[in-house]
Amino acid sequence: MEIGFHGHEFDKAERNTQTLIEKTINWFRSKSIFVVAYGTGCGAIEMPPTFTSRYDAERGGVVGVATPRQADVIIVSGYLAYKTLRRVIRTYEQMQSPKYVIGLGSCAINGGMYWDSYNTIKKLDDYIPVDMLVNGCMPRPEALLEGFAKLQERIRNGEQGGWEKYEKNLEFYKKNQKKVLGENIDPSYEADWYMLKQGATL
Amino acid sequence: MSDILTKLQGLSMEVTQKNERLYKLMVDAHDIMSTLLKLLNEYDYITLDSINCRDDLEEGYFTITYCLLKKTRDHVLMVQTSINRENASLPTLHKIWPQAEILERELHEFFGIDFPGHPTLIDFALEGWNQLPPLRRDFDTLEFVNSLDPFRGQRDDNLDVKVEMKKRREEKKAQKLKEAQEAAKNEEVPSHES
């Protein structure tokens, strides 16, 4: 039995289906989560106390980094405008697999109090695959840490990440993105790379 | 303060005092440029604080308010004018007050007001917007939102809060009753040691 944040017990049975190497890799992976420092909405204000001495996410292996190329997790903190969605998609596509998305707050879940705004998205998981949704308005840092603990648990169990879903269902995500952002989602080279991986030719 | 009012009366326009530090001046749309220049040059209203727009849909016009300040910053002068909603157009002020450039850009984006001669009437807060300007009152926000992004359905385990809370309360009650009964039973049984 392993203890993470708040003493969660992890399921042993599922872990036994992994090989020893997989198990080891996943354990290391879960213990070094790098979060890109990017806040989309008001939820970003909950992230500084989470990562600094008050709640100290580093004790669970969660650290912030400056650039998407180094990051494993992007937190969509709060409401997401269409304009910001373009940047979030670009950031997400620049991140290297394995990568995960955490939606923070009720705005990321169903639009929250901005559900009828002309420039805010309602369903985040239509545009990028979301691994973990933390509800609340605003969620406290404890809730965010709980989300991280659950995410670590899933990584350790070797569950499928959202990035695999994104690569498999790229057409679905691109269709939804184009619906709200128009035909030109630039730069397109990141998406082209995914297409190449699926067997398409440039 | 009343000498401000008497001074402004020299403009031969309708000036009213809204409160201690707020004065309002109603101007015709074609006089707006000359009035603002006069206020700047002769009355020392050197700062343009903001340009605001109100959509009077029923009357069919936009009400534009220019807020002006003096160097002393002791009162605000609102210069108000109304323009037709159809093909709304205003003279640009960016050569007089540089900050007007971005204020006018905002009005252009959210109300569709044209500013002939303005250098940067491009996207401001929105990107590639091809609908009616979003802050116009005839823009149906709800319809637009629902057409673009349907509302998320209910959770799979969607539960009625009232029913669930009642169930929980009853469970708690039963638990407490059981504990009380057990405690009473334990007290009744005399221990052998005593």
Side-chain angles (χ1 to χ4, degrees):
Chain A
M1 190 202 296
E2 286 210 32
I3 307 293
F5 288 121
H6 307 299
H8 282 293
E9 295 173 13
F10 299 123
D11 190 12
K12 245 182 179 177
E14 255 184 89
R15 287 182 64 193
N16 289 339
T17 57
Q18 302 173 62
T19 64
L20 186 65
I21 292 177
E22 276 173 351
K23 219 190 276 181
T24 319
I25 289 173
N26 286 338
W27 186 84
F28 280 122
R29 199 175 275 164
S30 75
K31 286 289 178 187
S32 80
I33 290 181
F34 288 81
V35 185
V36 62
Y38 185 64
T40 63
C42 45
I45 207 71
E46 300 292 340
M47 279 151 69
T50 312
F51 292 107
T52 50
S53 60
R54 179 73 173 87
Y55 290 95
D56 193 16
E58 199 169 339
R59 72 199 147 94
V62 181
V63 196
V65 287
T67 71
R69 302 270 184 204
Q70 301 166 327
D72 302 312
V73 172
I74 179 169
I75 301 178
V76 177
S77 51
Y79 58 86
L80 190 57
Y82 294 131
K83 197 174 177 179
T84 325
L85 177 65
R86 205 183 284 266
R87 277 81 187 165
V88 166
I89 290 167
R90 185 177 180 183
T91 311
Y92 181 71
E93 287 183 354
Q94 280 183 353
M95 283 159 61
Q96 304 193 28
S97 313
K99 54 190 175 183
Y100 303 90
V101 180
I102 293 181
L104 186 65
S106 51
C107 293
I109 296 169
N110 59 8
M113 64 193 283
Y114 303 105
W115 68 274
D116 60 349
S117 167
Y118 57 86
N119 63 352
T120 312
I121 63 157
K122 272 188 284 190
K123 280 156 85 179
L124 178 62
D125 40 0
D126 274 1
Y127 309 102
I128 47 174
V130 184
D131 291 281
M132 190 62 61
L133 285 164
V134 181
N135 71 337
C137 180
M138 282 308 301
R140 297 268 307 150
E142 290 100 323
L144 183 55
L145 289 180
E146 184 101 21
F148 272 120
K150 288 273 176 194
L151 185 67
Q152 286 178 332
E153 196 180 314
R154 286 179 59 177
I155 295 170
R156 216 165 304 189
N157 290 341
E159 286 177 38
Q160 191 192 36
W163 49 284
E164 288 168 273
K165 229 159 80 184
Y166 192 67
E167 285 180 11
K168 270 180 203 155
N169 308 309
L170 193 66
E171 267 178 40
F172 166 78
Y173 288 112
K174 284 289 156 197
K175 197 187 87 195
N176 288 334
Q177 289 167 9
K178 276 177 184 165
K179 195 178 165 194
V180 295
L181 300 178
E183 279 301 307
N184 296 322
I185 311 174
D186 52 34
S188 55
Y189 55 85
E190 310 280 350
D192 290 343
W193 184 82
Y194 281 111
M195 298 274 192
L196 270 180
K197 224 182 161 189
Q198 284 183 355
T201 48
L202 280 179
Chain B
M1 282 297 156
S2 57
D3 51 317
I4 294 167
L5 208 57
T6 48
K7 262 187 201 169
L8 284 170
Q9 236 103 46
L11 277 170
S12 69
M13 273 167 212
E14 190 193 334
V15 190
T16 47
Q17 185 167 9
K18 303 290 280 186
N19 65 35
E20 204 182 318
R21 314 179 91 199
L22 192 64
Y23 296 86
K24 194 170 105 178
L25 182 63
M26 291 294 294
V27 190
D28 275 344
H30 54 268
D31 287 341
I32 190 75
M33 197 68 171
S34 57
T35 313
L36 289 172
L37 278 173
K38 206 173 180 182
L39 286 167
L40 171 66
N41 295 326
E42 294 172 23
Y43 292 83
D44 293 331
Y45 284 95
I46 52 167
T47 306
L48 175 69
D49 187 57
S50 60
I51 310 175
N52 307 303
C53 179
R54 189 180 73 215
D55 189 355
D56 293 318
L57 179 67
E58 289 78 10
E59 287 82 6
Y61 55 77
F62 289 127
T63 304
I64 312 286
T65 311
Y66 296 83
C67 289
L68 300 178
L69 290 167
K70 276 194 175 177
K71 193 183 177 185
T72 50
R73 300 284 193 269
D74 57 349
H75 67 281
V76 179
L77 178 66
M78 305 186 335
V79 183
Q80 211 167 66
T81 183
S82 41
I83 53 170
N84 202 343
R85 278 179 102 258
E86 304 298 319
N87 304 320
S89 173
L90 277 171
T92 171
L93 299 173
H94 76 277
K95 280 183 183 159
I96 308 163
W97 289 290
Q99 67 268 36
E101 184 184 332
I102 208 151
L103 300 173
E104 285 168 355
R105 219 168 126 188
E106 191 184 353
L107 286 191
H108 174 73
E109 181 155 294
F110 289 116
F111 292 95
I113 300 168
D114 190 28
F115 292 91
H118 192 287
T120 52
L121 280 189
I122 46 169
D123 283 353
F124 179 56
L126 306 168
E127 275 181 340
W129 188 263
N130 51 11
Q131 310 274 324
L132 264 181
L135 291 194
R136 274 187 183 232
R137 276 173 60 208
D138 49 356
F139 173 69
D140 193 342
T141 317
L142 198 59
E143 194 192 314
F144 172 74
V145 166
N146 286 333
S147 72
L148 214 56
D149 207 1
F151 207 81
R152 186 188 292 278
Q154 290 170 333
R155 271 172 68 142
D156 301 337
D157 62 344
N158 182 40
L159 304 169
D160 191 349
V161 178
K162 270 187 185 170
V163 175
E164 286 304 305
M165 290 311 285
K166 201 178 173 187
K167 217 188 269 176
R168 263 191 224 179
R169 272 202 300 274
E170 275 167 8
E171 270 174 22
K172 243 182 203 173
K173 227 180 188 176
Q175 182 77 20
K176 262 188 184 172
L177 200 70
K178 207 177 166 188
E179 276 173 18
Q181 277 174 355
E182 273 179 18
K185 213 185 258 176
N186 287 346
E187 273 176 24
E188 276 172 25
V189 178
S191 63
H192 297 287
E193 286 163 24
S194 61

